[in-house]
Amino acid sequence: MEKPTGRASIPDAARDTRTSPVPNPDRRPNPSPAPLDGGGPGGTGPGAGPFFGSAPGRAGLWNRNFRYFFVARTVALFGDGMIPVALTAGLLGAGRPASSVGFALAAWMGPLAVFVLFGGVLADRFTPRRMMIIADALRLIGASVLAVTFATGNPPLWAVYVLCSVAGVGAALFQPGVASTVPRVSTDVQRANAVLRVAEALMTMAGPAFAGALVGLASAGAVYAANAATFAVSGACLFLMRLAPAPHDDAVRGTFAAELVDGWREFRARSWLWGVIAVWTVYGFAVLGPMLPLTAVLVTEAHGSGAYGMLMAVNGAGSVVGGLLALRLRPSHPLAAGAVALPLVAVSLLVLALGLPVPVLAAGQLLAGGAAAFWLVMWSTTVQTHVPPEALNRLHAYDVAGSLLMVAAGRALAGPVAEAVGAPELLVAAAVINMGVVAVLLVARPIRRLKRIGHI
């Protein structure tokens, strides 16, 4: 990567969007897109946005590369949804304590949070597609070994924890490349993100349901075998993609540490970017972190586990609705539009705190799922179209790392804090913080006034 020579070479994107009719946050000339498969609206060149060039028209969404990427992501998300069910059934079925499930999931999330920043640098150095294929191969090996160990007997806990850590490292290598791949496989970045969000919501519901049925019919080993197969399909689809070279692929790069520092410089230079992530660390810790465990406990105690499962399915359906709305709506200020949707999350927190009937709780979950999905599409699209491609993987890694750490901390502390002050009181506090976060997002000028770029 060519290193910036000073602050002026990494301008604040929000300032640029207010001074140029066609904003270019990095003030670099737009390279001409290198067409592939015929180019044009249906081609698979570098994609839309100020850094890859623009290609108008919606016909470019379901091109060859996007179809492969869509299948890879959908199948992998389906497999990810199986993991908690497989771990729970396998460890409890082997007579392990319930705490072992939490430790196993932590063994997966810990390496993901720690190594995702390194994954961002590696994706920039060796191309995201290559790193995602390596990550799928690594996770295929780990899931296959777990399938064999659970199918043949009672695996030692240390082996389960180590293999879960391998899966976490694989996820850390995979995740940063997702953000930069979307603009390279679709000329309509917002629509691509919306379609992927809808698929993610559906797979979040389908994966656990399939795993539960398979555990009943066979065993946890069979679930892990199916999980391994999803990584094989994902890796094969990514291998079959044919991406046109990006202008920065052959750039002269510095050392690993220098690129990590450069990523931090790019991050700090965009006030809208670090502003949202800073606010989101508070949101993840105080709202998203407590939300899931408190919902699980309160709903299960009051209405049973069946009601909780139903509410999670409704939340997934809300995510589908939010993704479909993002397919249709193209606000000129996407971050502001996404922030306007977030008060609906507070509604779900308040109805839960008040102990209202299940139909009202379901309505709250529907609203919360839709609002969260709409925000995520607006956020993902903004990052992918405003951040220069040579830094996108690293900057996305900062986002993922911060979110994971703060949400995990919020979940860990939700129980003790709820015992000290009361679960309803904690939910009301989370709802108040939710509204405070929305206010900050809408008041902060760089965030509120950031405009969408091109055909997104």
Side-chain angles (χ1 to χ4, degrees):
M1 172 181 173
E2 296 179 359
K3 296 180 176 55
T5 56
R7 172 75 179 183
S9 66
I10 315 176
D12 189 299
R15 278 200 306 276
D16 288 4
T17 59
R18 294 196 296 271
T19 58
S20 173
V22 183
N24 186 338
D26 207 43
R27 291 184 183 169
R28 300 174 186 175
N30 293 347
S32 299
L36 193 66
D37 293 341
T44 53
F51 302 105
F52 291 118
S54 299
R58 295 188 177 185
L61 178 62
W62 291 102
N63 59 69
R64 179 182 185 273
N65 281 333
F66 182 77
R67 289 197 300 270
Y68 278 126
F69 185 67
F70 175 81
V71 173
R73 293 298 297 136
T74 301
V75 171
L77 290 168
F78 179 72
D80 287 342
M82 301 180 192
I83 292 175
V85 177
L87 276 175
T88 303
L91 292 174
L92 297 184
R96 301 296 186 181
S99 61
S100 65
V101 178
F103 290 138
L105 291 173
W108 178 85
M109 181 171 284
L112 171 57
V114 170
F115 289 105
V116 69
L117 293 178
F118 300 99
V121 175
L122 291 172
D124 280 332
R125 292 175 73 90
F126 301 112
T127 76
R129 174 176 168 270
R130 187 175 301 163
M131 292 310 302
M132 288 191 290
I133 292 173
I134 293 173
D136 275 338
L138 191 63
R139 294 190 289 181
L140 168 63
I141 294 171
S144 298
V145 175
L146 280 170
V148 173
T149 56
F150 276 121
T152 57
N154 186 358
L157 283 178
W158 67 265
V160 175
Y161 297 157
V162 168
L163 291 170
C164 286
S165 298
V166 170
V169 172
L173 296 178
F174 188 99
Q175 189 60 38
V178 173
S180 63
T181 301
V182 173
R184 296 182 70 170
V185 298
S186 176
T187 59
D188 192 335
V189 181
Q190 179 178 319
R191 197 160 175 249
N193 279 316
V195 168
L196 292 170
R197 181 61 53 189
V198 170
E200 178 179 348
L202 293 173
M203 293 305 101
T204 299
M205 294 185 287
F210 176 81
L214 192 56
V215 165
L217 293 173
S219 66
V223 177
Y224 266 111
N227 182 230
T230 65
F231 293 129
V233 172
S234 174
C237 289
L238 294 170
F239 180 80
L240 292 171
M241 287 166 51
R242 294 293 179 265
L243 298 179
H248 61 279
D249 283 348
D250 297 324
V252 177
R253 301 185 181 277
T255 64
F256 190 95
E259 293 210 0
L260 199 60
V261 172
D262 280 348
W264 178 249
R265 284 171 52 85
E266 295 274 7
F267 175 78
R268 288 192 302 113
R270 291 168 172 79
S271 57
W272 64 268
L273 179 67
W274 62 255
V276 171
I277 293 178
V279 171
W280 210 254
T281 58
V282 176
Y283 194 78
F285 177 76
V287 180
L288 299 180
M291 182 187 298
L292 181 62
L294 293 183
T295 301
V297 171
L298 292 178
V299 173
T300 302
E301 289 179 348
H303 307 287
S305 57
Y308 173 69
M310 182 272 291
L311 290 180
M312 291 301 96
V314 171
N315 184 282
S319 297
V320 172
V321 174
L324 292 175
L325 282 175
L327 276 171
R328 304 289 299 174
L329 303 179
R330 293 176 181 270
S332 59
H333 298 82
L335 294 183
V340 168
L342 289 177
L344 297 178
V345 176
V347 173
S348 69
L349 295 169
L350 291 174
V351 297
L352 182 62
L354 295 173
L356 297 179
V358 171
V360 181
L361 298 179
Q365 289 295 325
L366 185 71
L367 294 174
F374 186 78
W375 161 263
L376 286 172
V377 173
M378 295 298 110
W379 169 247
S380 299
T381 303
T382 300
V383 172
Q384 290 160 3
T385 54
H386 282 77
V387 173
E390 64 269 23
L392 182 53
N393 296 306
R394 282 168 288 169
L395 268 60
H396 179 61
Y398 280 112
D399 181 20
V400 173
S403 298
L404 284 174
L405 290 173
M406 297 311 292
V407 171
R411 288 182 179 178
L413 294 175
V417 174
E419 291 177 0
V421 304
E425 289 78 6
L426 182 55
L427 288 168
V428 171
V432 172
I433 294 172
N434 182 97
M435 299 307 297
V437 164
V438 171
V440 171
L441 291 174
L442 293 176
V443 169
R445 183 183 177 94
I447 298 171
R448 183 184 74 252
R449 297 192 61 180
L450 189 69
K451 294 182 179 179
R452 73 183 181 96
I453 286 181
H455 183 74
I456 64 173

